[in-house]
PDB file of all heavy atoms in Angstrom:
ATOM      1  N   THR A 203       0.811  -1.211  -0.001  1.00  0.00           N
ATOM      2  CA  THR A 203      -0.016   0.007   0.001  1.00  0.00           C
ATOM      3  C   THR A 203       0.870   1.251  -0.009  1.00  0.00           C
ATOM      4  O   THR A 203       1.660   1.473   0.897  1.00  0.00           O
ATOM      5  CB  THR A 203      -0.928   0.034   1.213  1.00  0.00           C
ATOM      6  OG1 THR A 203      -1.627  -1.207   1.352  1.00  0.00           O
ATOM      7  CG2 THR A 203      -1.937   1.154   1.074  1.00  0.00           C
ATOM      8  N   LEU A 204       0.673   2.081  -1.030  1.00  0.00           N
ATOM      9  CA  LEU A 204       1.363   3.373  -1.122  1.00  0.00           C
ATOM     10  C   LEU A 204       0.312   4.485  -1.084  1.00  0.00           C
ATOM     11  O   LEU A 204      -0.642   4.459  -1.839  1.00  0.00           O
ATOM     12  CB  LEU A 204       2.126   3.469  -2.460  1.00  0.00           C
ATOM     13  CG  LEU A 204       2.868   4.797  -2.718  1.00  0.00           C
ATOM     14  CD1 LEU A 204       4.078   4.915  -1.778  1.00  0.00           C
ATOM     15  CD2 LEU A 204       3.318   4.887  -4.165  1.00  0.00           C
ATOM     16  N   GLN A 205       0.519   5.429  -0.186  1.00  0.00           N
ATOM     17  CA  GLN A 205      -0.426   6.533  -0.047  1.00  0.00           C
ATOM     18  C   GLN A 205       0.265   7.841  -0.441  1.00  0.00           C
ATOM     19  O   GLN A 205       1.383   8.130  -0.008  1.00  0.00           O
ATOM     20  CB  GLN A 205      -0.967   6.676   1.379  1.00  0.00           C
ATOM     21  CG  GLN A 205      -2.088   7.677   1.508  1.00  0.00           C
ATOM     22  CD  GLN A 205      -2.713   7.655   2.880  1.00  0.00           C
ATOM     23  OE1 GLN A 205      -2.290   8.305   3.791  1.00  0.00           O
ATOM     24  NE2 GLN A 205      -3.770   6.848   3.035  1.00  0.00           N
ATOM     25  N   VAL A 206      -0.396   8.617  -1.280  1.00  0.00           N
ATOM     26  CA  VAL A 206       0.179   9.858  -1.800  1.00  0.00           C
ATOM     27  C   VAL A 206      -0.814  10.990  -1.533  1.00  0.00           C
ATOM     28  O   VAL A 206      -2.001  10.858  -1.869  1.00  0.00           O
ATOM     29  CB  VAL A 206       0.441   9.760  -3.331  1.00  0.00           C
ATOM     30  CG1 VAL A 206       1.109  11.048  -3.835  1.00  0.00           C
ATOM     31  CG2 VAL A 206       1.306   8.550  -3.624  1.00  0.00           C
ATOM     32  N   GLU A 207      -0.332  12.083  -0.933  1.00  0.00           N
ATOM     33  CA  GLU A 207      -1.167  13.244  -0.713  1.00  0.00           C
ATOM     34  C   GLU A 207      -0.671  14.412  -1.566  1.00  0.00           C
ATOM     35  O   GLU A 207       0.511  14.765  -1.550  1.00  0.00           O
ATOM     36  CB  GLU A 207      -1.122  13.647   0.781  1.00  0.00           C
ATOM     37  CG  GLU A 207      -2.035  14.828   1.074  1.00  0.00           C
ATOM     38  CD  GLU A 207      -2.131  15.170   2.554  1.00  0.00           C
ATOM     39  OE1 GLU A 207      -1.470  14.463   3.369  1.00  0.00           O
ATOM     40  OE2 GLU A 207      -2.832  16.138   2.894  1.00  0.00           O
ATOM     41  N   LEU A 208      -1.562  14.994  -2.319  1.00  0.00           N
ATOM     42  CA  LEU A 208      -1.231  16.069  -3.265  1.00  0.00           C
ATOM     43  C   LEU A 208      -1.434  17.450  -2.615  1.00  0.00           C
ATOM     44  O   LEU A 208      -2.147  17.578  -1.638  1.00  0.00           O
ATOM     45  CB  LEU A 208      -2.067  15.981  -4.524  1.00  0.00           C
ATOM     46  CG  LEU A 208      -2.021  14.659  -5.317  1.00  0.00           C
ATOM     47  CD1 LEU A 208      -2.852  14.811  -6.606  1.00  0.00           C
ATOM     48  CD2 LEU A 208      -0.609  14.247  -5.601  1.00  0.00           C
ATOM     49  N   VAL A 209      -0.812  18.427  -3.237  1.00  0.00           N
ATOM     50  CA  VAL A 209      -0.967  19.823  -2.803  1.00  0.00           C
ATOM     51  C   VAL A 209      -2.348  20.338  -3.221  1.00  0.00           C
ATOM     52  O   VAL A 209      -3.021  21.049  -2.442  1.00  0.00           O
ATOM     53  CB  VAL A 209       0.129  20.727  -3.419  1.00  0.00           C
ATOM     54  CG1 VAL A 209      -0.089  22.166  -3.018  1.00  0.00           C
ATOM     55  CG2 VAL A 209       1.494  20.243  -3.019  1.00  0.00           C
ATOM     56  N   ARG A 210      -2.757  19.956  -4.403  1.00  0.00           N
ATOM     57  CA  ARG A 210      -4.025  20.399  -4.950  1.00  0.00           C
ATOM     58  C   ARG A 210      -4.526  19.322  -5.958  1.00  0.00           C
ATOM     59  O   ARG A 210      -3.694  18.521  -6.410  1.00  0.00           O
ATOM     60  CB  ARG A 210      -3.871  21.736  -5.677  1.00  0.00           C
ATOM     61  CG  ARG A 210      -2.968  21.714  -6.872  1.00  0.00           C
ATOM     62  CD  ARG A 210      -2.670  23.058  -7.431  1.00  0.00           C
ATOM     63  NE  ARG A 210      -1.941  23.897  -6.481  1.00  0.00           N
ATOM     64  CZ  ARG A 210      -0.614  23.811  -6.311  1.00  0.00           C
ATOM     65  NH1 ARG A 210       0.110  22.961  -7.041  1.00  0.00           N
ATOM     66  NH2 ARG A 210       0.013  24.559  -5.453  1.00  0.00           N
ATOM     67  N   PRO A 211      -5.793  19.292  -6.272  1.00  0.00           N
ATOM     68  CA  PRO A 211      -6.230  18.301  -7.266  1.00  0.00           C
ATOM     69  C   PRO A 211      -5.434  18.454  -8.569  1.00  0.00           C
ATOM     70  O   PRO A 211      -5.246  19.593  -9.088  1.00  0.00           O
ATOM     71  CB  PRO A 211      -7.729  18.673  -7.473  1.00  0.00           C
ATOM     72  CG  PRO A 211      -8.131  19.294  -6.191  1.00  0.00           C
ATOM     73  CD  PRO A 211      -6.913  20.071  -5.728  1.00  0.00           C
ATOM     74  N   THR A 212      -4.957  17.361  -9.076  1.00  0.00           N
ATOM     75  CA  THR A 212      -4.137  17.363 -10.291  1.00  0.00           C
ATOM     76  C   THR A 212      -4.665  16.310 -11.234  1.00  0.00           C
ATOM     77  O   THR A 212      -4.433  15.087 -11.027  1.00  0.00           O
ATOM     78  CB  THR A 212      -2.658  17.078  -9.948  1.00  0.00           C
ATOM     79  OG1 THR A 212      -2.211  18.039  -8.958  1.00  0.00           O
ATOM     80  CG2 THR A 212      -1.766  17.164 -11.176  1.00  0.00           C
ATOM     81  N   VAL A 213      -5.370  16.748 -12.271  1.00  0.00           N
ATOM     82  CA  VAL A 213      -6.126  15.763 -13.096  1.00  0.00           C
ATOM     83  C   VAL A 213      -5.247  14.803 -13.850  1.00  0.00           C
ATOM     84  O   VAL A 213      -5.651  13.688 -14.170  1.00  0.00           O
ATOM     85  CB  VAL A 213      -7.014  16.501 -14.119  1.00  0.00           C
ATOM     86  CG1 VAL A 213      -8.090  17.299 -13.413  1.00  0.00           C
ATOM     87  CG2 VAL A 213      -6.179  17.434 -15.014  1.00  0.00           C
ATOM     88  N   PHE A 214      -3.963  15.196 -14.094  1.00  0.00           N
ATOM     89  CA  PHE A 214      -3.105  14.282 -14.861  1.00  0.00           C
ATOM     90  C   PHE A 214      -2.155  13.490 -13.967  1.00  0.00           C
ATOM     91  O   PHE A 214      -1.205  12.856 -14.443  1.00  0.00           O
ATOM     92  CB  PHE A 214      -2.303  15.067 -15.880  1.00  0.00           C
ATOM     93  CG  PHE A 214      -1.532  16.264 -15.358  1.00  0.00           C
ATOM     94  CD1 PHE A 214      -0.345  16.101 -14.684  1.00  0.00           C
ATOM     95  CD2 PHE A 214      -2.026  17.530 -15.539  1.00  0.00           C
ATOM     96  CE1 PHE A 214       0.380  17.182 -14.180  1.00  0.00           C
ATOM     97  CE2 PHE A 214      -1.318  18.646 -15.039  1.00  0.00           C
ATOM     98  CZ  PHE A 214      -0.139  18.447 -14.376  1.00  0.00           C
ATOM     99  N   PHE A 215      -2.395  13.470 -12.649  1.00  0.00           N
ATOM    100  CA  PHE A 215      -1.435  12.829 -11.759  1.00  0.00           C
ATOM    101  C   PHE A 215      -1.306  11.332 -12.034  1.00  0.00           C
ATOM    102  O   PHE A 215      -0.180  10.806 -12.041  1.00  0.00           O
ATOM    103  CB  PHE A 215      -1.807  13.054 -10.294  1.00  0.00           C
ATOM    104  CG  PHE A 215      -0.851  12.375  -9.348  1.00  0.00           C
ATOM    105  CD1 PHE A 215       0.447  12.876  -9.182  1.00  0.00           C
ATOM    106  CD2 PHE A 215      -1.216  11.245  -8.633  1.00  0.00           C
ATOM    107  CE1 PHE A 215       1.341  12.269  -8.341  1.00  0.00           C
ATOM    108  CE2 PHE A 215      -0.306  10.616  -7.772  1.00  0.00           C
ATOM    109  CZ  PHE A 215       0.978  11.133  -7.628  1.00  0.00           C
ATOM    110  N   LEU A 216      -2.415  10.649 -12.251  1.00  0.00           N
ATOM    111  CA  LEU A 216      -2.332   9.198 -12.505  1.00  0.00           C
ATOM    112  C   LEU A 216      -1.493   8.933 -13.726  1.00  0.00           C
ATOM    113  O   LEU A 216      -0.639   8.035 -13.733  1.00  0.00           O
ATOM    114  CB  LEU A 216      -3.725   8.597 -12.660  1.00  0.00           C
ATOM    115  CG  LEU A 216      -4.482   8.255 -11.401  1.00  0.00           C
ATOM    116  CD1 LEU A 216      -5.874   7.779 -11.714  1.00  0.00           C
ATOM    117  CD2 LEU A 216      -3.710   7.211 -10.589  1.00  0.00           C
ATOM    118  N   GLY A 217      -1.727   9.660 -14.807  1.00  0.00           N
ATOM    119  CA  GLY A 217      -0.944   9.471 -16.018  1.00  0.00           C
ATOM    120  C   GLY A 217       0.540   9.765 -15.750  1.00  0.00           C
ATOM    121  O   GLY A 217       1.426   9.123 -16.294  1.00  0.00           O
ATOM    122  N   LEU A 218       0.795  10.776 -14.908  1.00  0.00           N
ATOM    123  CA  LEU A 218       2.190  11.143 -14.605  1.00  0.00           C
ATOM    124  C   LEU A 218       2.952  10.028 -13.925  1.00  0.00           C
ATOM    125  O   LEU A 218       4.167   9.897 -14.115  1.00  0.00           O
ATOM    126  CB  LEU A 218       2.194  12.406 -13.728  1.00  0.00           C
ATOM    127  CG  LEU A 218       3.516  13.129 -13.541  1.00  0.00           C
ATOM    128  CD1 LEU A 218       4.065  13.625 -14.866  1.00  0.00           C
ATOM    129  CD2 LEU A 218       3.359  14.305 -12.567  1.00  0.00           C
ATOM    130  N   THR A 219       2.261   9.164 -13.188  1.00  0.00           N
ATOM    131  CA  THR A 219       2.964   8.075 -12.525  1.00  0.00           C
ATOM    132  C   THR A 219       3.493   7.014 -13.475  1.00  0.00           C
ATOM    133  O   THR A 219       4.244   6.138 -13.051  1.00  0.00           O
ATOM    134  CB  THR A 219       2.054   7.391 -11.480  1.00  0.00           C
ATOM    135  OG1 THR A 219       0.944   6.749 -12.117  1.00  0.00           O
ATOM    136  CG2 THR A 219       1.554   8.386 -10.445  1.00  0.00           C
ATOM    137  N   SER A 220       3.142   7.124 -14.759  1.00  0.00           N
ATOM    138  CA  SER A 220       3.754   6.221 -15.734  1.00  0.00           C
ATOM    139  C   SER A 220       5.080   6.752 -16.218  1.00  0.00           C
ATOM    140  O   SER A 220       5.823   6.042 -16.886  1.00  0.00           O
ATOM    141  CB  SER A 220       2.805   6.043 -16.945  1.00  0.00           C
ATOM    142  OG  SER A 220       2.725   7.261 -17.684  1.00  0.00           O
ATOM    143  N   PHE A 221       5.373   8.015 -15.898  1.00  0.00           N
ATOM    144  CA  PHE A 221       6.630   8.651 -16.348  1.00  0.00           C
ATOM    145  C   PHE A 221       7.800   7.991 -15.636  1.00  0.00           C
ATOM    146  O   PHE A 221       7.724   7.565 -14.498  1.00  0.00           O
ATOM    147  CB  PHE A 221       6.562  10.160 -16.019  1.00  0.00           C
ATOM    148  CG  PHE A 221       7.691  10.945 -16.578  1.00  0.00           C
ATOM    149  CD1 PHE A 221       8.035  10.872 -17.899  1.00  0.00           C
ATOM    150  CD2 PHE A 221       8.460  11.767 -15.747  1.00  0.00           C
ATOM    151  CE1 PHE A 221       9.072  11.611 -18.425  1.00  0.00           C
ATOM    152  CE2 PHE A 221       9.505  12.501 -16.243  1.00  0.00           C
ATOM    153  CZ  PHE A 221       9.826  12.399 -17.593  1.00  0.00           C
ATOM    154  N   VAL A 222       8.927   7.944 -16.341  1.00  0.00           N
ATOM    155  CA  VAL A 222      10.051   7.136 -15.898  1.00  0.00           C
ATOM    156  C   VAL A 222      10.592   7.581 -14.539  1.00  0.00           C
ATOM    157  O   VAL A 222      11.028   6.735 -13.720  1.00  0.00           O
ATOM    158  CB  VAL A 222      11.192   7.166 -16.956  1.00  0.00           C
ATOM    159  CG1 VAL A 222      11.737   8.571 -17.144  1.00  0.00           C
ATOM    160  CG2 VAL A 222      12.300   6.200 -16.591  1.00  0.00           C
ATOM    161  N   THR A 223      10.543   8.863 -14.202  1.00  0.00           N
ATOM    162  CA  THR A 223      11.072   9.295 -12.907  1.00  0.00           C
ATOM    163  C   THR A 223      10.235   8.732 -11.763  1.00  0.00           C
ATOM    164  O   THR A 223      10.737   8.630 -10.629  1.00  0.00           O
ATOM    165  CB  THR A 223      11.068  10.850 -12.844  1.00  0.00           C
ATOM    166  OG1 THR A 223      11.567  11.390 -14.062  1.00  0.00           O
ATOM    167  CG2 THR A 223      11.963  11.334 -11.722  1.00  0.00           C
ATOM    168  N   TYR A 224       8.994   8.332 -12.034  1.00  0.00           N
ATOM    169  CA  TYR A 224       8.126   7.814 -10.994  1.00  0.00           C
ATOM    170  C   TYR A 224       8.253   6.273 -10.840  1.00  0.00           C
ATOM    171  O   TYR A 224       7.586   5.717  -9.945  1.00  0.00           O
ATOM    172  CB  TYR A 224       6.688   8.150 -11.334  1.00  0.00           C
ATOM    173  CG  TYR A 224       6.223   9.514 -10.849  1.00  0.00           C
ATOM    174  CD1 TYR A 224       6.479  10.669 -11.562  1.00  0.00           C
ATOM    175  CD2 TYR A 224       5.489   9.632  -9.653  1.00  0.00           C
ATOM    176  CE1 TYR A 224       6.046  11.913 -11.122  1.00  0.00           C
ATOM    177  CE2 TYR A 224       5.063  10.867  -9.219  1.00  0.00           C
ATOM    178  CZ  TYR A 224       5.339  12.024  -9.953  1.00  0.00           C
ATOM    179  OH  TYR A 224       4.883  13.231  -9.515  1.00  0.00           O
ATOM    180  N   VAL A 225       9.017   5.611 -11.660  1.00  0.00           N
ATOM    181  CA  VAL A 225       9.070   4.130 -11.525  1.00  0.00           C
ATOM    182  C   VAL A 225       9.910   3.778 -10.300  1.00  0.00           C
ATOM    183  O   VAL A 225      10.743   4.563  -9.833  1.00  0.00           O
ATOM    184  CB  VAL A 225       9.667   3.455 -12.791  1.00  0.00           C
ATOM    185  CG1 VAL A 225       8.878   3.859 -14.029  1.00  0.00           C
ATOM    186  CG2 VAL A 225      11.134   3.784 -12.947  1.00  0.00           C
ATOM    187  N   PRO A 226       9.711   2.598  -9.740  1.00  0.00           N
ATOM    188  CA  PRO A 226      10.463   2.218  -8.526  1.00  0.00           C
ATOM    189  C   PRO A 226      11.894   1.854  -8.806  1.00  0.00           C
ATOM    190  O   PRO A 226      12.260   1.417  -9.911  1.00  0.00           O
ATOM    191  CB  PRO A 226       9.688   0.996  -8.029  1.00  0.00           C
ATOM    192  CG  PRO A 226       9.124   0.373  -9.267  1.00  0.00           C
ATOM    193  CD  PRO A 226       8.769   1.544 -10.151  1.00  0.00           C
ATOM    194  N   ALA A 227      12.738   2.095  -7.830  1.00  0.00           N
ATOM    195  CA  ALA A 227      14.117   1.624  -7.866  1.00  0.00           C
ATOM    196  C   ALA A 227      14.308   0.728  -6.657  1.00  0.00           C
ATOM    197  O   ALA A 227      13.884   1.029  -5.563  1.00  0.00           O
ATOM    198  CB  ALA A 227      15.094   2.812  -7.810  1.00  0.00           C
ATOM    199  N   GLN A 228      14.943  -0.410  -6.892  1.00  0.00           N
ATOM    200  CA  GLN A 228      15.169  -1.355  -5.789  1.00  0.00           C
ATOM    201  C   GLN A 228      16.234  -0.784  -4.834  1.00  0.00           C
ATOM    202  O   GLN A 228      17.400  -0.583  -5.254  1.00  0.00           O
ATOM    203  CB  GLN A 228      15.589  -2.708  -6.340  1.00  0.00           C
ATOM    204  CG  GLN A 228      15.627  -3.791  -5.232  1.00  0.00           C
ATOM    205  CD  GLN A 228      16.286  -5.063  -5.738  1.00  0.00           C
ATOM    206  OE1 GLN A 228      17.477  -5.062  -5.974  1.00  0.00           O
ATOM    207  NE2 GLN A 228      15.524  -6.126  -5.903  1.00  0.00           N
ATOM    208  N   LYS A 229      15.859  -0.553  -3.632  1.00  0.00           N
ATOM    209  CA  LYS A 229      16.800   0.054  -2.664  1.00  0.00           C
ATOM    210  C   LYS A 229      18.057  -0.735  -2.492  1.00  0.00           C
ATOM    211  O   LYS A 229      19.177  -0.203  -2.478  1.00  0.00           O
ATOM    212  CB  LYS A 229      16.095   0.201  -1.302  1.00  0.00           C
ATOM    213  CG  LYS A 229      16.983   0.852  -0.230  1.00  0.00           C
ATOM    214  CD  LYS A 229      16.213   0.965   1.068  1.00  0.00           C
ATOM    215  CE  LYS A 229      17.090   1.599   2.164  1.00  0.00           C
ATOM    216  NZ  LYS A 229      16.357   1.722   3.465  1.00  0.00           N
TER     217      LYS A 229
END
């Protein structure tokens, strides 16, 4: 479970999570 709180409603946020900077890196 990952919880994310935004500053303001952002209609494109879900799509933005497909962007490469948002992908996980194995610690």
Side-chain angles (χ1 to χ4, degrees):
T203 311
L204 178 71
Q205 188 172 87
V206 184
E207 183 175 358
L208 304 184
V209 177
R210 64 189 63 83
T212 305
V213 295
F214 53 78
F215 180 71
L216 278 175
L218 192 60
T219 65
S220 68
F221 187 53
V222 64
T223 316
Y224 274 83
V225 305
Q228 189 191 68
K229 181 179 180 180

